[in-house]
């Protein structure tokens, strides 16, 4: 590997207590809220086919009109306590809230620009209310911050001229000032989720960004920052020139989930997921497939089974309401978590061969192993392959600890867990499987001659 001044500053996972807490969350909530929720994906009767929070970039949206929307932002229905209660009932252990998206509108009264909530009819600090409400529910708060800022005069996507560079210096100072301001105002923040860091102009700021990251981490010990924040001195993002991840977890899994444990390269990671195909901010007319709670629960369990966190996005409307579709899904996920949360919290990857019926998770403290079943085989026989020297002794339904499910040995290190549900299976369910580490009994299985 080559020597880098602004590459990864740590190899391997962070092992401190704050990161252990992050690793054990399992389920998080993303909130995308801002003035883009006012048009909600429409303008003068026209439907915007893109992501609602990007409507400013739409040719049909006059920039002037968008940039004046804040003058009518007055979300009277906004109820931070209600949002936090709903997230608690869903089972979210952390929340990531947009402080400022690419449009540059600040949901907190920043003193470094007038383009903030303080200058809207609503006036009050939205971030402060959300931080207090989620803290009160015991849900850890993380702040989303977009480096891209279409409102700031010094923002550039690339630096072509000396004038660009001079303007961009102001933008760099402004960016640093806002981040320091956010951590000073909201010291209970556990981490920052950076976005909009793909511009050439920012990629060239390896030294500045590295120094800024150091300054922010000094302000809040244990602060967690993902891999999307900065590039190394050769312009490499997420992974430096030597292939080592920069930051505390990989932020590359957006609306997609790794397939195998090899895909995560031994790093912590989160998957951030939308309910429709690709809407983060509020769009009043979702087109295409809207994910069901069964689909979202499977994504959550698949993420946990591969040592990641699953962060589900909510996009409140211009009035401050959580839309009915999201309320319904939060309730359905919450109902499932009420019964099955122990297969998510504090759990991760079990190195048993993945089977078709679903996913294994294991509790990192207790070693308790779970089979989370999504696809019941017509035979009712759930195949389980165990590592050498491991013998499954007992299996029972998590919901009925007194149940005793038959385990049949069918081959060396291979078993059928026979489960015939009494009633039709409508939601994923969990079988707990207990094992004994037994010494190798070569046993009576004849290896095939080939
Ligand atoms: C150009 O493709 C993009 C750019 C930015 C995004 C932003 C979304 O607005 C949302 O904030 C998501 C987390 N982020 C990656 C998504 C797709």
């Amino acid at each position: 590997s080559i020597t880098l001044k602004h590459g990864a500053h740590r190899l391997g996972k962070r092992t401190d207590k704050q990161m252990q807490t992050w690793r054990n969350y399992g389920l998080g909530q993303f909130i995308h809220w801002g003035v883009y929720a006012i048009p909600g994906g429409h303008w003068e009767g026209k439907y915007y086919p893109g992501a609602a929070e990007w409507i400013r970039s739409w040719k049909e949206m006059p920039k002037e009109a968008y940039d004046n929307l804040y003058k009518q932002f007055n979300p009277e229905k906004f109820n931070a306590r209600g949002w936090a209660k709903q997230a608690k009932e869903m089972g979210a252990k952390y929340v990531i809230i947009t402080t400022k998206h690419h449009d540059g509108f600040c949901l907190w009264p920043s003193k470094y620009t007038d383009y903030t909530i303080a200058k809207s009819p609503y006036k009050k600090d939205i971030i402060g209310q959300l931080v207090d409400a989620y803290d009160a529910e015991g849900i850890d708060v993380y702040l989303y911050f977009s480096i891209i800022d279409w409102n700031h005069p010094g923002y550039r996507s690339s630096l072509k001229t000396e004038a660009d560079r001079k303007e961009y210096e102001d933008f760099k100072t402004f960016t640093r000032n806002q981040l320091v301001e956010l951590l000073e105002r909201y010291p209970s923040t556990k981490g920052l989720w950076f976005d909009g860091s793909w511009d050439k102009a920012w990629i060239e700021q390896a030294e500045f960004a590295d120094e800024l990251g150091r300054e922010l981490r000094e302000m809040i010990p244990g602060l967690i920052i993902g891999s999307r924040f900065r590039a190394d001195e050769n312009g490499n993002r997420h992974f430096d020139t030597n292939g080592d991840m920069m930051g505390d977890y990989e932020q590359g899994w957006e609306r997609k989930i790794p397939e195998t444990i090899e895909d995560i390269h031994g790093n912590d990671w989160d998957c951030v997921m939308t309910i429709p195909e690709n809407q983060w901010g509020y769009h009043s007319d979702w087109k295409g497939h809207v994910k069901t709670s069964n689909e979202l629960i499977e994504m959550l369990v698949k993420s946990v089974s591969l040592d990641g966190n699953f962060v589900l996005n909510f996009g409140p409307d211009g009035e401050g309401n959580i839309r009915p579709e999201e309320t319904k899904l939060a309730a359905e996920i919450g109902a499932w978590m009420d019964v099955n949360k122990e297969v998510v919290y504090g759990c991760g990857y079990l190195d048993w061969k993945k089977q078709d019926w679903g996913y294994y998770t294991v509790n990192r403290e207790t070693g308790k192993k779970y089979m989370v079943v999504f696809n019941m085989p017509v035979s009712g026989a759930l195949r389980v392959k165990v590592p050498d020297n491991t013998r499954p002794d007992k299996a029972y339904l998590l919901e009925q600890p007194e149940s005793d499910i038959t385990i049949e040995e069918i081959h060396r290190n291979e078993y059928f867990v026979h489960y015939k549900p009494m009633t039709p299976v409508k939601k994923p369910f969990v079988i707990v499987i207990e094992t004994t580490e037994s010494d190798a009994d070569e046993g009576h299985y004849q290896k095939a001659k080939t």
Side-chain angles (χ1 to χ4, degrees), residues 176-190:
R176 177 221 167 258
N177 289 343
Q178 284 204 316
L179 285 162
V180 168
E181 178 181 52
L182 282 166
L183 296 190
E184 282 171 346
R185 290 181 62 90
Y186 314 112
S188 67
T189 300
K190 302 293 182 296

Side-chain angles (χ1 to χ4, degrees), residues 9-109:
H9 297 309
R10 186 203 70 257
L11 298 184
K13 292 182 176 180
R14 264 178 56 173
T15 55
D16 58 287
K17 145 174 84 50
Q18 289 93 331
M19 200 69 206
Q20 296 282 8
T21 299
W22 183 94
R23 187 170 295 132
N24 289 329
Y25 285 145
L27 177 60
Q29 178 189 40
F30 218 140
I31 294 179
H32 273 75
W33 201 29
V35 294
Y36 41 73
I38 297 171
H42 294 82
W43 189 252
E44 293 184 339
K46 287 188 285 298
Y47 171 86
Y48 174 51
E53 70 283 357
W54 274 74
I55 195 167
R56 186 180 187 279
S57 65
W58 187 29
K59 64 180 180 353
E60 306 289 340
M61 167 62 85
K63 303 291 172 278
E64 171 85 9
Y66 184 93
D67 293 345
N68 281 289
L69 287 171
Y70 77 99
K71 292 175 180 165
Q72 56 185 289
F73 193 49
N74 192 7
E76 289 168 340
K77 296 290 190 332
F78 173 50
N79 167 13
R81 303 288 302 271
W83 293 11
K85 185 169 179 296
Q86 181 184 62
K88 182 76 172 192
E89 288 167 359
M90 178 171 78
K93 286 288 189 186
Y94 69 125
V95 65
I96 305 170
I97 308 167
T98 48
T99 58
K100 178 180 90 171
H101 203 261
H102 309 334
D103 59 7
F105 183 67
C106 304
L107 292 185
W108 83 100

Side-chain angles (χ1 to χ4, degrees), residues 241-363:
T241 312
N242 298 319
D244 297 317
M245 183 180 69
M246 291 174 280
D248 303 320
Y249 64 96
E250 192 192 346
Q251 277 180 278
W253 303 99
E254 184 210 308
R255 293 180 295 128
K256 57 183 185 292
I257 297 173
E259 270 313 311
T260 67
I261 199 67
E262 288 71 32
D263 292 340
I264 73 169
H265 312 294
N267 295 312
D268 285 306
W269 59 277
D270 70 356
C271 162
V272 290
M273 185 58 70
T274 51
I275 292 171
E277 172 54 33
N278 183 26
Q279 292 295 337
W280 300 88
Y282 177 75
H283 198 304
S284 61
D285 183 2
W286 281 350
K287 292 252 189 293
H289 180 65
V290 177
K291 297 173 188 76
T292 64
S293 56
N294 275 341
E295 285 176 82
L296 295 168
I297 292 165
E298 178 159 5
M299 291 179 176
L300 163 62
V301 172
K302 180 174 183 179
S303 298
V304 171
S305 79
L306 290 168
D307 273 346
N309 287 335
F310 183 71
V311 186
L312 184 59
N313 183 71
F314 286 63
D317 69 18
E319 298 294 298
N321 300 301
I322 302 284
R323 66 199 297 157
E325 302 94 320
E326 293 174 354
T327 293
K328 179 169 178 285
L329 287 168
E332 291 170 358
I333 293 166
W336 189 85
M337 287 292 281
D338 281 349
V339 174
N340 301 289
K341 55 178 169 278
E342 74 176 82
V343 311
V344 169
Y345 299 151
C347 289
Y349 172 69
L350 175 66
D351 60 352
W352 290 11
K353 188 171 174 3
K354 166 89 174 64
Q355 300 296 329
D356 293 341
W357 43 259
Y359 308 88
Y360 295 111
T361 71
V362 60
N363 183 287

